[in-house]
Amino acid sequence: MMSTTMGHEPNGTPGWPKTAKEWLFTLDHKVIGVWYLIASLAAFAVAGMAATLMRIELGSVGPDITSDGNIYNLWLTMHGAVMILGFQIPALLGFVANYAVPIMIGAKDMAFPRVNALSIWMLWSGILTALANLIIPDHFNGMWTGYPPYSLTDLAGNTALYTTVVVTIGMSSVLGAVNLASTVAFMRCKGMGWFQMPITVWAVFTANIMQLIFVPVLAASVLLLSLDKYLGFGFFNPEVGGDVLLYQNLFWFYSHPAVYVILLPFMGIIFEIFSTSAKNMVFSYKTTVYAFLAFIPASGDVWVHHAFIAGLPDWLRVLQSFTTLLISLPFGLLMLSLVATMYKGSIQYTGPMLWAMGGWMMLVFGGLTGIPNALSSVDYGISDSYVIMSHFHYVMAVSGSMAIFAGVFWWFPKLTGRRCKESWTKLSAIGFFVGMNVVMGPLYIAGIAGMPRRYMDYQQFADNTTIVNMQYISTIGLYITFASVLLMLFTWIHGMLKGEKSTQNPWGSQSLEWTSTALIAGQGNFPSPVSVAKDWHPYNYIDNPKPAFSSS
Amino acid sequence: MRNKSLLLKAWGLLVALPLLPSLVFAFQSTTARRASYGGLTPQAHWEELWTEVMWDITIIGGVYILVALVFFFAFKAKSKDGVGASPKLSLQAVIGWVMIPSMLFLGDDLFLYVKAYELHTQMREVPANAQEIKVTASMWNWNYDYGDGVDADNELRVPVGKPVVLRMISEDVIHSHYLDKYHVSEDVMPGRITWEWFMPDKIGKTVITCREYCGPNHSKMFGKLIVLSQKDYDAWMAEELAAVMDKNTSSQQVASITTGAPLSIKAVQ
Ligand SMILES: [Cu+2]
């Protein structure tokens, strides 16, 4: 019998562990979830600072704060890699998956609590290794994509660090994915069928299935980089019969699905908040679930749209241009379902709802601006320009961040027992939304005017008034965003320390984490095993049967 | 039961309808133009399609956002503990709500795809009379080789009105040769010759710049496309050829230069 100090057998006491030892050696999925949250927010801070420095540098033509290409490219590499691998994926597949999913399905913990602890500490070591890149003299600056042959040159710096970070975080993700998928498949409480799971759970589950399929390919591709660079293997070296394009094919075979690994869970959060705020059943719930699942096959055959101009055969370009367009079907259905969930609702505009609406709106812009990029011939004019950069910031980076922060505000009362100040929450949501639109909207226009991405300067476009003006406006947007992030942090800290005490179910949710555990759930989540009836549903607000507890 | 399945079949037929007009329209408009692409240059053709796509997504987005905003306003909670009253969907309604939007999306996808395919054909078919220029990229330089020993760094001179095809290779890492205003870019890499073609239609200077990350000076890897009148181009070419002749006679190394190809291109051919 496992000792109760390990933290996942029910002991009947609500609240967080009290000692540092319990926090460090915990097997409790909720505590591990919080560790994920801390790691991802720290990563957001670092990667956000990198973005801030870049945006200031780009505010005008010529050097503003640095004239050293290596320093700028370090910021750029750190921004991309840390935002994706350190912030978004751990926040969604770490924090949401670990903290929220088990309580949402009425489980006492994850299926493999020790594996879970291993995953989080592997993630931390991965993130700390990534941060070491800021200190070491031969820092890696080959971009988060690490394309060879550049990443194999001395100029790119320490490629082994890049390989190590990606493989470590990748292994952590695979372990987490096995764990989460098993948890959802086998640990649902008595009576909960597959189609009685919250959409968030479905979304995280689908994303983890995709991780299991695609992450190994990414791990392999970055391992090959180091084999090439340090042991002279030559997979990507044309002089000995290798091919530089092999890497791009392998890399994007994972990294396009990775977009959905991020997108699906954050859409899950938006669904959760939309449905609960409108007190309405998720529109056509089953169809919505199938639309999520459709991303698994649909995402496996579209990677070439990241390489339309990379010298691949024309037939492959037009073929995957078409398969890429097909993504619009499941995506469109999800977007319709989100809006239709509002129909005849009773919508309450709470702070988290405003954050979720911001994420949704960014997703609308992001989804639509994906359509031109999917057309191979249109892409010839905009590939590797700000059009692409702006598009994926809308569709994934900003919308994802807004949804993640919506989730943090959503579960904040469960995490702390207190409420954030609503007016500050709303103000920060509006500020972030406006700020990021002022950053990314003008950059889309600059992209149409020809501005390439990954540039530290643009003196060749000094006569191009569109580009020069848009860069300037974009930098103003940065300051608005920066201020709203500070306000958000302040709101969290204030809420944690001085916020008004929360009631048990502040949002009026029907999901188990709000209805059937203590506000701050203790070890084992539920004092005794919970069960739900056949006609119970997490989004039934009208005549939902109450969950029952067995006295075992 | 039988009635129900009939009804479902009818739905199936009905919802496929939006596909037809969009396809017919797209094919009609493209087959009519295929021979000459409506007399458009690739860049004008690109801009035309870009505008159409922008209209397309603006209309879809506009309608969607409008409906959403109406819902957000109309269904604001009237009391703190109100609940929603969304209708329960029948099976037919569920199928309809999947099929009709899916077919609309698919119809729009196909419509744009057919048009984009036409542009793709134009941009990836080199005209027979195209002038060939060899491009060698290196960190951080573009070299243009016209043959006969004439070459230039970071300045690409071409005569107006004549298509040009660039055959490109890199000596080191991946670069991408982007011609501003011509809406065309293609990666340039070691071990593989890639190409792009364009139709210089206006005398003047435009920017050429690298679009694939290639190290600390990536953003400084730019040059100029200089489109000249045929007369000016011929004069420039004659001058260059004369300079090559001068150099040849003085250095006696005619053989190695007149092959006209940079070493790295020969190596992979
Ligand atoms: Cu370059």
Side-chain angles (χ1 to χ4, degrees):
Chain A
M1 183 72 204
M2 206 161 280
S3 127
T4 48
T5 55
M6 299 308 276
H8 66 107
E9 288 299 323
N11 65 358
T13 350
W16 292 106
K18 299 280 181 302
T19 66
K21 193 182 148 209
E22 283 174 293
W23 271 90
L24 281 172
F25 297 100
T26 185
L27 295 181
D28 184 338
H29 72 98
K30 298 185 295 303
V31 181
I32 291 174
V34 170
W35 278 116
Y36 269 110
L37 181 61
I38 296 170
S40 60
L41 292 178
F44 174 77
V46 172
M49 279 316 296
T52 304
L53 293 169
M54 285 191 290
R55 190 89 291 282
I56 294 173
E57 172 56 42
L58 288 166
S60 69
V61 182
D64 290 290
I65 46 178
T66 182
S67 51
D68 183 343
N70 270 311
I71 298 292
Y72 181 84
N73 292 334
L74 171 65
W75 300 339
L76 188 43
T77 302
M78 291 300 283
H79 174 67
V82 176
M83 276 294 185
I84 294 168
L85 294 171
F87 168 53
Q88 291 204 318
I89 292 182
L92 293 162
L93 299 194
F95 166 64
V96 177
N98 275 274
Y99 174 77
V101 167
I103 343 181
M104 291 175 114
I105 60 170
K108 67 176 179 183
D109 204 317
M110 297 284 273
F112 311 110
R114 279 171 191 277
V115 175
N116 204 20
L118 180 61
S119 319
I120 179 65
W121 298 120
M122 279 179 81
L123 174 78
W124 270 96
S125 55
I127 290 183
L128 290 176
T129 315
L131 293 184
N133 200 33
L134 292 168
I135 310 164
I136 58 171
D138 62 334
H139 63 253
F140 180 72
N141 66 19
M143 296 299 116
W144 75 278
T145 46
Y147 277 11
Y150 182 72
S151 57
L152 307 179
T153 64
D154 290 338
L155 271 174
N158 196 326
T159 309
L161 182 129
Y162 175 71
T163 302
T164 309
V165 168
V166 175
V167 171
T168 311
I169 296 185
M171 275 173 75
S172 161
S173 303
V174 169
L175 289 174
V178 172
N179 208 347
L180 190 281
S182 318
T183 306
V184 171
F186 301 112
M187 304 275 288
R188 299 192 310 278
C189 72
K190 209 172 138 212
M192 184 185 281
W194 282 95
F195 290 108
Q196 286 166 284
M197 298 198 310
I199 289 288
T200 310
V201 176
W202 267 113
V204 173
F205 177 75
T206 313
N208 273 310
I209 299 293
M210 289 169 76
Q211 288 282 75
L212 284 177
I213 299 171
F214 296 109
V215 167
V217 182
L218 173 73
S221 63
V222 298
L223 260 176
L224 298 185
L225 280 185
S226 278
L227 290 179
D228 260 25
K229 182 163 181 173
Y230 302 106
L231 300 174
F233 270 58
F235 291 105
F236 310 126
N237 182 354
E239 276 172 39
V240 295
D243 192 330
V244 295
L245 283 182
L246 171 64
Y247 180 85
Q248 292 183 33
N249 282 293
L250 291 173
F251 182 85
W252 288 113
F253 183 70
Y254 165 73
S255 295
H256 191 76
V259 173
Y260 304 124
V261 164
I262 292 168
L263 185 127
L264 300 184
F266 82 66
M267 284 189 85
I269 297 177
I270 299 178
F271 266 105
E272 191 73 28
I273 297 177
F274 270 32
S275 171
T276 310
S277 299
K279 298 285 176 297
N280 241 350
M281 174 65 89
V282 167
F283 179 79
S284 202
Y285 170 91
K286 267 194 191 176
T287 315
T288 304
V289 169
Y290 288 126
F292 272 103
L293 290 171
F295 275 90
I296 301 175
S299 66
D301 193 31
V302 296
W303 75 91
V304 167
H305 71 231
H306 292 271
F308 275 153
I309 62 161
L312 291 167
D314 283 2
W315 66 267
L316 194 54
R317 305 182 191 192
V318 291
L319 174 72
Q320 293 221 355
S321 170
F322 187 70
T323 52
T324 302
L325 283 169
L326 291 182
I327 298 276
S328 67
L329 270 69
F331 182 76
L333 288 177
L334 289 182
M335 295 305 280
L336 276 185
S337 175
L338 270 175
V339 166
T341 300
M342 300 290 110
Y343 182 68
K344 291 202 172 174
S346 174
I347 312 167
Q348 304 220 13
Y349 292 98
T350 59
M353 177 63 177
L354 252 63
W355 276 95
M357 283 172 72
W360 161 79
M361 197 71 181
M362 298 307 270
L363 203 50
V364 177
F365 298 147
L368 291 167
T369 53
I371 292 173
N373 313 354
L375 305 167
S376 54
S377 49
V378 173
D379 193 64
Y380 297 151
I382 54 176
S383 189
D384 289 289
S385 79
Y386 271 13
V387 168
I388 305 296
M389 187 276 291
S390 173
H391 156 70
F392 74 71
H393 276 83
Y394 272 106
V395 84
M396 168 182 130
V398 182
S399 51
S401 305
M402 288 202 79
I404 288 168
F405 296 142
V408 175
F409 279 110
W410 186 252
W411 285 296
F412 193 90
K414 273 205 85 64
L415 289 163
T416 62
R418 290 170 188 275
R419 297 282 299 267
C420 287
K421 221 171 152 67
E422 277 284 298
S423 53
W424 296 351
T425 309
K426 288 177 184 173
L427 188 63
S428 59
I430 292 166
F432 193 90
F433 178 79
V434 171
M436 280 316 298
N437 272 295
V438 178
V439 173
M440 285 301 159
L443 294 187
Y444 195 83
I445 297 167
I448 300 172
M451 179 69 204
R453 64 196 277 206
R454 295 175 173 171
Y455 268 24
M456 74 169 301
D457 193 30
Y458 42 100
Q459 66 189 94
Q460 59 271 58
F461 292 109
D463 306 335
N464 188 325
T465 46
T466 311
I467 289 179
V468 173
N469 291 339
M470 293 301 131
Q471 290 275 18
Y472 181 77
I473 298 171
S474 173
T475 306
I476 298 173
L478 167 89
Y479 296 113
I480 307 174
T481 312
F482 199 89
S484 358
V485 170
L486 288 183
L487 176 61
M488 175 181 78
L489 290 177
F490 182 74
T491 308
W492 285 341
I493 294 166
H494 177 270
M496 207 153 66
L497 302 174
K498 291 201 169 141
E500 141 197 15
K501 287 248 191 310
S502 173
T503 51
Q504 165 70 30
N505 188 356
W507 319 122
S509 169
Q510 285 292 319
S511 183
L512 290 181
E513 84 266 33
W514 297 104
T515 59
S516 305
T517 63
L519 182 60
I520 301 181
Q523 287 180 193
N525 300 337
F526 303 89
S528 61
V530 65
S531 65
V532 294
K534 242 196 162 62
D535 50 349
W536 175 90
H537 201 279
Y539 306 113
N540 177 358
Y541 300 94
I542 299 170
D543 49 2
N544 218 14
K546 277 205 161 53
F549 294 94
S550 65
S551 49
S552 75
Chain B
M1 210 50 217
R2 206 169 140 259
N3 275 346
K4 200 170 177 185
S5 72
L6 258 180
L7 195 63
L8 291 180
K9 273 182 199 150
W11 260 122
L13 280 177
L14 196 66
V15 297
L17 280 180
L19 274 180
L20 292 174
S22 73
L23 272 183
V24 170
F25 182 64
F27 274 113
Q28 240 177 11
S29 74
T30 51
T31 44
R33 299 192 345 174
R34 173 122 327 145
S36 62
Y37 303 107
L40 295 174
T41 58
Q43 58 269 29
H45 192 176
W46 188 95
E47 279 160 16
E48 183 192 82
L49 180 59
W50 176 263
T51 312
E52 280 176 1
V53 177
M54 284 296 120
W55 273 112
D56 185 272
I57 63 177
T58 308
I59 292 167
I60 298 174
V63 171
Y64 175 82
I65 290 171
L66 202 71
V67 172
L69 288 182
V70 168
F71 283 11
F72 280 129
F73 278 109
F75 304 118
K76 193 173 184 296
K78 298 199 170 58
S79 71
K80 265 252 175 263
D81 37 41
V83 289
S86 58
K88 226 174 148 41
L89 298 180
S90 65
L91 182 60
Q92 284 88 334
V94 169
I95 294 173
W97 276 110
V98 174
M99 294 308 285
I100 294 175
S102 296
M103 288 303 128
L104 282 172
F105 299 147
L106 196 58
D108 189 47
D109 286 349
L110 285 169
F111 176 71
L112 293 176
Y113 183 75
V114 169
K115 285 174 163 286
Y117 191 90
E118 186 203 18
L119 176 60
H120 192 276
T121 316
Q122 186 180 15
M123 292 179 88
R124 298 299 293 170
E125 259 176 22
V126 186
N129 62 336
Q131 178 192 0
E132 183 167 325
I133 297 170
K134 285 177 173 138
V135 179
T136 307
S138 57
M139 287 172 185
W140 291 274
N141 185 66
W142 298 107
N143 179 269
Y144 301 100
D145 186 329
Y146 298 79
D148 299 327
V150 177
D151 78 327
D153 281 338
N154 300 318
E155 280 185 349
L156 174 57
R157 283 183 175 76
V158 294
V160 70
K162 239 199 211 155
V164 178
V165 60
L166 304 173
R167 304 240 175 238
M168 311 185 288
I169 196 152
S170 166
E171 283 181 349
D172 38 53
V173 303
I174 305 177
H175 305 273
S176 192
H177 193 266
Y178 169 67
L179 290 161
D180 193 33
K181 310 290 181 210
Y182 292 89
H183 311 296
V184 63
S185 194
E186 186 77 18
D187 285 1
V188 184
M189 62 198 79
R192 192 184 281 253
I193 296 171
T194 56
W195 60 269
E196 69 193 13
W197 82 272
F198 66 102
M199 172 58 100
D201 61 342
K202 242 196 249 141
I203 292 173
K205 294 178 185 176
T206 52
V207 176
I208 294 174
T209 197
C210 181
R211 269 203 174 175
E212 185 62 74
Y213 176 70
C214 60
N217 289 335
H218 170 46
S219 57
K220 299 192 181 106
M221 186 167 164
F222 59 88
K224 271 200 178 86
L225 170 64
I226 304 168
V227 180
L228 303 165
S229 67
Q230 187 69 48
K231 203 173 118 230
D232 290 349
Y233 178 79
D234 290 342
W236 172 77
M237 188 47 92
E239 223 172 89
E240 290 293 307
L241 281 170
V244 171
M245 292 302 269
D246 273 4
K247 231 166 90 193
N248 284 354
T249 40
S250 62
S251 65
Q252 308 280 320
Q253 285 180 333
V254 185
S256 74
I257 292 174
T258 46
T259 53
L263 206 64
S264 48
I265 288 188
K266 271 194 301 184
V268 290
Q269 279 169 341

